Amino acid sequence: MKTQVAIIGGGPSGLLLAQLLHTRGIDSVVLERKTKDYVLSRIRAGVLEQGFVKLMEEAGCAERMHAEGYPHDGTLISYGDEMFRIDFKEHTGTSVVVYGQTEVTRDLYDAREAAGLETVFNVEQVQIHGADTDASYVTYEVDGAEQRIDCDYIAGCDGFHGVSRQAIPLSVRKEYEKVYPFGWLGILSETPPVNEELIYAASERGFALCSMRNKDLSRYYIQCSLSDKPEDWTDEAFWQELKRRIPKAHADKLVTGPSIEKSIAPLRSFVTEPMRWGRLFLCGDAAHIVPPTGAKGLNTAASDIHYLYQGLKQHYLEHDSTGLDAYSEKALARVWKAERFSWWMTNLLHRFPDQTAFDLKMQKADIDFLRSNREAQSVMAQNYIGLPY
């Protein structure tokens, strides 16, 4: 098989890139190691920056998102029983959209299938060859039979544990990592959200987040120990702990119910440099991870896709490779800003096991400053709704 761009990874990043390229007549093949049903069963983020929304519009996949997504003009931050609101619309003139990553992925798959474009599922033993030459290709197996795709470029959209980053020699790449000493226990429940906007809660017992997917589907998180397992937490224990961490006015009106999904995610900050090696380009979690506190994971992947799409479009339609040559530098400049914001929000709102009394006073002062200072709120709002590409 031969294509212009081989895309490794059939999640939202790879699918979005493929759909954008298709709108410009640029061929691609998507390789996914799992089944479509498995990909669509993954529960992930649901807050979309305006930049992501505009990319979905350009890809021709935004109709259902606009019909069913929930624009959020702000968010609430609580500390104990105190609460204040950051008004995104007031500070930036725009909003974020709450629309589940699963739904984004479904929309992109539907568009890809409607256009008759090729996605290969259940691929195994994926290997990248000749990325640093003029003859790159990808080999893989399906049902034990080896296949090969010759391509001009390779987009590595296969996540933190994928093969793409590992294909870049250790002598070339440098990795930066911070592992946080806690995780997030998250549940999904078929209950109405406790509030129409997200609540970020800092409490003496640890962090909590009240989020949602729609008016009948809520997503809640609490900070937990890395040694915890989902089965250690009954639904009742989760709800009781969540109520202890959010303001009483909201705890009293919280509607509880059985969880339909329960999982624990460890938190880490991670970046690899560079994000390009020859004809291989890394995108999304293949190149960087952020703690979910700032809702930047999927959105930072989208900014990578923007830069790569623009570079490929410029290369194929204008015969100009300057965009591709600048990809890693441009993508990383924005990635590190998103990393900083996610790191800052994580430090602002969580309890750390080694925090001293002084540290706690500093954390409280930081929250008080955010509450009382309009410029600080503006900076947070600008970062939350998404820095420009």
Tab-separated table of all heavy atoms in Angstrom, residues 40-77:
chain	number	residue	atom	x	y	z
A	40	LEU	N	-14.025	3.623	21.172
A	40	LEU	CA	-15.200	4.411	21.548
A	40	LEU	C	-15.660	4.133	22.976
A	40	LEU	O	-16.534	4.836	23.483
A	40	LEU	CB	-16.348	4.140	20.571
A	40	LEU	CG	-16.135	4.693	19.160
A	40	LEU	CD1	-17.263	4.247	18.230
A	40	LEU	CD2	-16.033	6.210	19.183
A	41	SER	N	-15.091	3.122	23.610
A	41	SER	CA	-15.473	2.821	24.994
A	41	SER	C	-14.608	3.564	25.999
A	41	SER	O	-14.913	3.586	27.189
A	41	SER	CB	-15.353	1.315	25.256
A	41	SER	OG	-13.993	0.907	25.325
A	42	ARG	N	-13.528	4.202	25.530
A	42	ARG	CA	-12.619	4.897	26.446
A	42	ARG	C	-13.248	6.190	26.940
A	42	ARG	O	-13.707	7.006	26.146
A	42	ARG	CB	-11.277	5.184	25.756
A	42	ARG	CG	-10.496	3.930	25.427
A	42	ARG	CD	-9.101	4.213	24.939
A	42	ARG	NE	-9.073	4.862	23.637
A	42	ARG	CZ	-8.158	4.623	22.694
A	42	ARG	NH1	-7.205	3.739	22.908
A	42	ARG	NH2	-8.190	5.261	21.561
A	43	ILE	N	-13.270	6.356	28.249
A	43	ILE	CA	-13.835	7.565	28.853
A	43	ILE	C	-12.710	8.563	29.068
A	43	ILE	O	-11.745	8.290	29.782
A	43	ILE	CB	-14.532	7.246	30.195
A	43	ILE	CG1	-15.596	6.167	30.004
A	43	ILE	CG2	-15.116	8.512	30.795
A	43	ILE	CD1	-16.725	6.559	29.073
A	44	ARG	N	-12.831	9.715	28.444
A	44	ARG	CA	-11.767	10.707	28.511
A	44	ARG	C	-12.357	12.100	28.744
A	44	ARG	O	-13.512	12.249	29.076
A	44	ARG	CB	-10.949	10.693	27.206
A	44	ARG	CG	-10.153	9.408	26.973
A	44	ARG	CD	-8.982	9.277	27.947
A	44	ARG	NE	-8.099	8.178	27.591
A	44	ARG	CZ	-8.238	6.933	27.996
A	44	ARG	NH1	-9.263	6.608	28.772
A	44	ARG	NH2	-7.369	5.991	27.637
A	45	ALA	N	-11.543	13.094	28.481
A	45	ALA	CA	-11.875	14.484	28.774
A	45	ALA	C	-13.110	14.964	28.016
A	45	ALA	O	-13.528	14.364	27.033
A	45	ALA	CB	-10.679	15.369	28.429
A	46	GLY	N	-13.648	16.082	28.488
A	46	GLY	CA	-14.840	16.595	27.830
A	46	GLY	C	-14.888	18.102	27.684
A	46	GLY	O	-15.931	18.647	27.327
A	47	VAL	N	-13.788	18.809	27.962
A	47	VAL	CA	-13.759	20.265	27.840
A	47	VAL	C	-12.929	20.636	26.612
A	47	VAL	O	-11.745	20.313	26.533
A	47	VAL	CB	-13.164	20.930	29.095
A	47	VAL	CG1	-13.084	22.442	28.910
A	47	VAL	CG2	-14.007	20.593	30.324
A	48	LEU	N	-13.550	21.312	25.648
A	48	LEU	CA	-12.892	21.637	24.383
A	48	LEU	C	-12.627	23.135	24.284
A	48	LEU	O	-13.532	23.952	24.469
A	48	LEU	CB	-13.761	21.203	23.197
A	48	LEU	CG	-14.259	19.755	23.182
A	48	LEU	CD1	-15.076	19.494	21.926
A	48	LEU	CD2	-13.096	18.778	23.284
A	49	GLU	N	-11.383	23.474	23.960
A	49	GLU	CA	-11.037	24.865	23.690
A	49	GLU	C	-11.638	25.313	22.362
A	49	GLU	O	-12.008	24.494	21.518
A	49	GLU	CB	-9.519	25.023	23.600
A	49	GLU	CG	-8.755	24.716	24.870
A	49	GLU	CD	-7.251	24.791	24.665
A	49	GLU	OE1	-6.803	24.972	23.505
A	49	GLU	OE2	-6.525	24.661	25.661
A	50	GLN	N	-11.688	26.630	22.169
A	50	GLN	CA	-12.213	27.158	20.914
A	50	GLN	C	-11.372	26.736	19.710
A	50	GLN	O	-11.886	26.532	18.620
A	50	GLN	CB	-12.307	28.683	20.992
A	50	GLN	CG	-13.499	29.176	21.789
A	50	GLN	CD	-14.823	28.717	21.221
A	50	GLN	OE1	-15.074	28.809	20.028
A	50	GLN	NE2	-15.685	28.192	22.093
A	51	GLY	N	-10.063	26.608	19.914
A	51	GLY	CA	-9.215	26.152	18.815
A	51	GLY	C	-9.606	24.766	18.343
A	51	GLY	O	-9.627	24.495	17.127
A	52	PHE	N	-9.926	23.887	19.279
A	52	PHE	CA	-10.376	22.544	18.910
A	52	PHE	C	-11.705	22.606	18.174
A	52	PHE	O	-11.908	21.925	17.160
A	52	PHE	CB	-10.523	21.678	20.168
A	52	PHE	CG	-10.700	20.214	19.879
A	52	PHE	CD1	-9.652	19.329	20.064
A	52	PHE	CD2	-11.902	19.709	19.406
A	52	PHE	CE1	-9.804	17.981	19.794
A	52	PHE	CE2	-12.060	18.374	19.125
A	52	PHE	CZ	-11.005	17.499	19.319
A	53	VAL	N	-12.606	23.428	18.669
A	53	VAL	CA	-13.915	23.583	18.028
A	53	VAL	C	-13.752	24.034	16.578
A	53	VAL	O	-14.394	23.513	15.654
A	53	VAL	CB	-14.781	24.580	18.821
A	53	VAL	CG1	-16.058	24.928	18.048
A	53	VAL	CG2	-15.128	24.005	20.197
A	54	LYS	N	-12.852	24.989	16.340
A	54	LYS	CA	-12.651	25.502	14.981
A	54	LYS	C	-12.038	24.445	14.068
A	54	LYS	O	-12.363	24.375	12.866
A	54	LYS	CB	-11.773	26.753	15.028
A	54	LYS	CG	-12.494	27.948	15.649
A	54	LYS	CD	-11.575	29.146	15.830
A	54	LYS	CE	-12.320	30.300	16.502
A	54	LYS	NZ	-11.418	31.440	16.796
A	55	LEU	N	-11.160	23.592	14.618
A	55	LEU	CA	-10.607	22.500	13.811
A	55	LEU	C	-11.693	21.501	13.420
A	55	LEU	O	-11.713	21.000	12.289
A	55	LEU	CB	-9.492	21.787	14.581
A	55	LEU	CG	-8.160	22.526	14.688
A	55	LEU	CD1	-7.223	21.777	15.624
A	55	LEU	CD2	-7.509	22.694	13.311
A	56	MET	N	-12.602	21.209	14.341
A	56	MET	CA	-13.718	20.309	14.020
A	56	MET	C	-14.610	20.933	12.951
A	56	MET	O	-15.112	20.231	12.059
A	56	MET	CB	-14.525	20.008	15.277
A	56	MET	CG	-13.825	19.090	16.258
A	56	MET	SD	-13.708	17.367	15.697
A	56	MET	CE	-15.402	16.806	16.007
A	57	GLU	N	-14.794	22.239	13.019
A	57	GLU	CA	-15.575	22.922	11.984
A	57	GLU	C	-14.883	22.811	10.635
A	57	GLU	O	-15.528	22.514	9.617
A	57	GLU	CB	-15.777	24.391	12.364
A	57	GLU	CG	-16.691	24.590	13.562
A	57	GLU	CD	-16.706	26.018	14.066
A	57	GLU	OE1	-15.829	26.814	13.659
A	57	GLU	OE2	-17.587	26.348	14.883
A	58	GLU	N	-13.573	23.050	10.605
A	58	GLU	CA	-12.838	22.972	9.346
A	58	GLU	C	-12.846	21.554	8.779
A	58	GLU	O	-12.854	21.358	7.561
A	58	GLU	CB	-11.394	23.447	9.540
A	58	GLU	CG	-10.620	23.564	8.235
A	58	GLU	CD	-9.289	24.270	8.379
A	58	GLU	OE1	-8.992	24.787	9.475
A	58	GLU	OE2	-8.531	24.312	7.386
A	59	ALA	N	-12.879	20.565	9.681
A	59	ALA	CA	-12.926	19.167	9.250
A	59	ALA	C	-14.320	18.747	8.796
A	59	ALA	O	-14.500	17.636	8.284
A	59	ALA	CB	-12.454	18.253	10.381
A	60	GLY	N	-15.321	19.621	8.991
A	60	GLY	CA	-16.695	19.292	8.605
A	60	GLY	C	-17.361	18.333	9.567
A	60	GLY	O	-18.284	17.602	9.181
A	61	CYS	N	-16.943	18.345	10.832
A	61	CYS	CA	-17.434	17.367	11.809
A	61	CYS	C	-18.018	18.030	13.059
A	61	CYS	O	-18.030	17.421	14.133
A	61	CYS	CB	-16.297	16.432	12.214
A	61	CYS	SG	-15.590	15.479	10.866
A	62	ALA	N	-18.488	19.243	12.956
A	62	ALA	CA	-18.886	19.993	14.146
A	62	ALA	C	-20.392	20.069	14.362
A	62	ALA	O	-20.832	20.625	15.375
A	62	ALA	CB	-18.318	21.412	14.074
A	63	GLU	N	-21.187	19.497	13.453
A	63	GLU	CA	-22.640	19.702	13.532
A	63	GLU	C	-23.231	19.170	14.838
A	63	GLU	O	-23.953	19.873	15.547
A	63	GLU	CB	-23.325	19.024	12.340
A	63	GLU	CG	-24.828	19.264	12.298
A	63	GLU	CD	-25.481	18.661	11.052
A	63	GLU	OE1	-24.753	18.209	10.146
A	63	GLU	OE2	-26.726	18.634	11.008
A	64	ARG	N	-22.905	17.922	15.190
A	64	ARG	CA	-23.479	17.347	16.411
A	64	ARG	C	-22.884	18.006	17.658
A	64	ARG	O	-23.585	18.194	18.665
A	64	ARG	CB	-23.252	15.830	16.440
A	64	ARG	CG	-24.072	15.108	17.517
A	64	ARG	CD	-24.133	13.614	17.246
A	64	ARG	NE	-22.864	12.974	17.508
A	64	ARG	CZ	-22.554	12.360	18.662
A	64	ARG	NH1	-23.442	12.340	19.649
A	64	ARG	NH2	-21.397	11.771	18.818
A	65	MET	N	-21.625	18.373	17.589
A	65	MET	CA	-20.992	19.056	18.709
A	65	MET	C	-21.706	20.372	19.023
A	65	MET	O	-21.972	20.697	20.186
A	65	MET	CB	-19.521	19.323	18.394
A	65	MET	CG	-18.762	20.085	19.455
A	65	MET	SD	-17.073	20.439	18.928
A	65	MET	CE	-17.392	21.537	17.541
A	66	HIS	N	-22.052	21.124	17.986
A	66	HIS	CA	-22.760	22.383	18.204
A	66	HIS	C	-24.183	22.148	18.699
A	66	HIS	O	-24.719	22.932	19.483
A	66	HIS	CB	-22.779	23.202	16.918
A	66	HIS	CG	-21.469	23.876	16.609
A	66	HIS	ND1	-20.776	24.608	17.547
A	66	HIS	CD2	-20.735	23.922	15.464
A	66	HIS	CE1	-19.669	25.080	17.000
A	66	HIS	NE2	-19.606	24.676	15.744
A	67	ALA	N	-24.792	21.049	18.262
A	67	ALA	CA	-26.172	20.762	18.654
A	67	ALA	C	-26.261	20.224	20.083
A	67	ALA	O	-27.202	20.550	20.818
A	67	ALA	CB	-26.787	19.755	17.686
A	68	GLU	N	-25.287	19.409	20.484
A	68	GLU	CA	-25.392	18.708	21.764
A	68	GLU	C	-24.376	19.166	22.810
A	68	GLU	O	-24.523	18.850	23.991
A	68	GLU	CB	-25.242	17.195	21.542
A	68	GLU	CG	-26.302	16.612	20.614
A	68	GLU	CD	-26.126	15.122	20.382
A	68	GLU	OE1	-25.346	14.488	21.133
A	68	GLU	OE2	-26.760	14.588	19.449
A	69	GLY	N	-23.335	19.899	22.403
A	69	GLY	CA	-22.330	20.364	23.353
A	69	GLY	C	-22.864	21.497	24.215
A	69	GLY	O	-23.858	22.145	23.886
A	70	TYR	N	-22.201	21.723	25.322
A	70	TYR	CA	-22.630	22.739	26.274
A	70	TYR	C	-21.572	23.826	26.398
A	70	TYR	O	-20.514	23.597	26.986
A	70	TYR	CB	-22.872	22.105	27.656
A	70	TYR	CG	-24.069	21.208	27.705
A	70	TYR	CD1	-23.995	19.891	27.269
A	70	TYR	CD2	-25.296	21.669	28.169
A	70	TYR	CE1	-25.095	19.052	27.301
A	70	TYR	CE2	-26.413	20.854	28.204
A	70	TYR	CZ	-26.304	19.541	27.769
A	70	TYR	OH	-27.406	18.715	27.789
A	71	PRO	N	-21.826	25.017	25.850
A	71	PRO	CA	-20.878	26.115	26.050
A	71	PRO	C	-20.832	26.496	27.536
A	71	PRO	O	-21.874	26.621	28.189
A	71	PRO	CB	-21.470	27.258	25.213
A	71	PRO	CG	-22.409	26.594	24.255
A	71	PRO	CD	-22.956	25.408	24.977
A	72	HIS	N	-19.635	26.644	28.058
A	72	HIS	CA	-19.449	27.070	29.447
A	72	HIS	C	-18.708	28.396	29.454
A	72	HIS	O	-17.594	28.504	28.946
A	72	HIS	CB	-18.660	26.022	30.229
A	72	HIS	CG	-19.504	24.889	30.726
A	72	HIS	ND1	-19.124	24.082	31.774
A	72	HIS	CD2	-20.713	24.440	30.315
A	72	HIS	CE1	-20.066	23.178	31.984
A	72	HIS	NE2	-21.034	23.372	31.114
A	73	ASP	N	-19.346	29.403	30.054
A	73	ASP	CA	-18.781	30.747	30.081
A	73	ASP	C	-17.866	30.980	31.269
A	73	ASP	O	-17.262	32.048	31.389
A	73	ASP	CB	-19.905	31.789	30.110
A	73	ASP	CG	-20.722	31.785	28.831
A	73	ASP	OD1	-20.237	31.264	27.814
A	73	ASP	OD2	-21.861	32.284	28.863
A	74	GLY	N	-17.767	30.010	32.176
A	74	GLY	CA	-16.930	30.190	33.349
A	74	GLY	C	-16.808	28.906	34.134
A	74	GLY	O	-17.328	27.856	33.743
A	75	THR	N	-16.103	28.980	35.266
A	75	THR	CA	-15.960	27.828	36.149
A	75	THR	C	-15.905	28.316	37.590
A	75	THR	O	-15.573	29.479	37.860
A	75	THR	CB	-14.702	27.009	35.803
A	75	THR	OG1	-14.747	25.751	36.460
A	75	THR	CG2	-13.426	27.738	36.218
A	76	LEU	N	-16.232	27.422	38.508
A	76	LEU	CA	-16.227	27.749	39.926
A	76	LEU	C	-15.015	27.119	40.606
A	76	LEU	O	-14.620	25.998	40.274
A	76	LEU	CB	-17.501	27.236	40.604
A	76	LEU	CG	-18.816	27.866	40.113
A	76	LEU	CD1	-20.003	27.162	40.741
A	76	LEU	CD2	-18.852	29.349	40.425
A	77	ILE	N	-14.440	27.845	41.559
A	77	ILE	CA	-13.338	27.333	42.356
A	77	ILE	C	-13.731	27.480	43.824
A	77	ILE	O	-14.158	28.552	44.263
A	77	ILE	CB	-12.031	28.093	42.078
A	77	ILE	CG1	-11.588	27.843	40.631
A	77	ILE	CG2	-10.933	27.659	43.053
A	77	ILE	CD1	-10.343	28.594	40.220
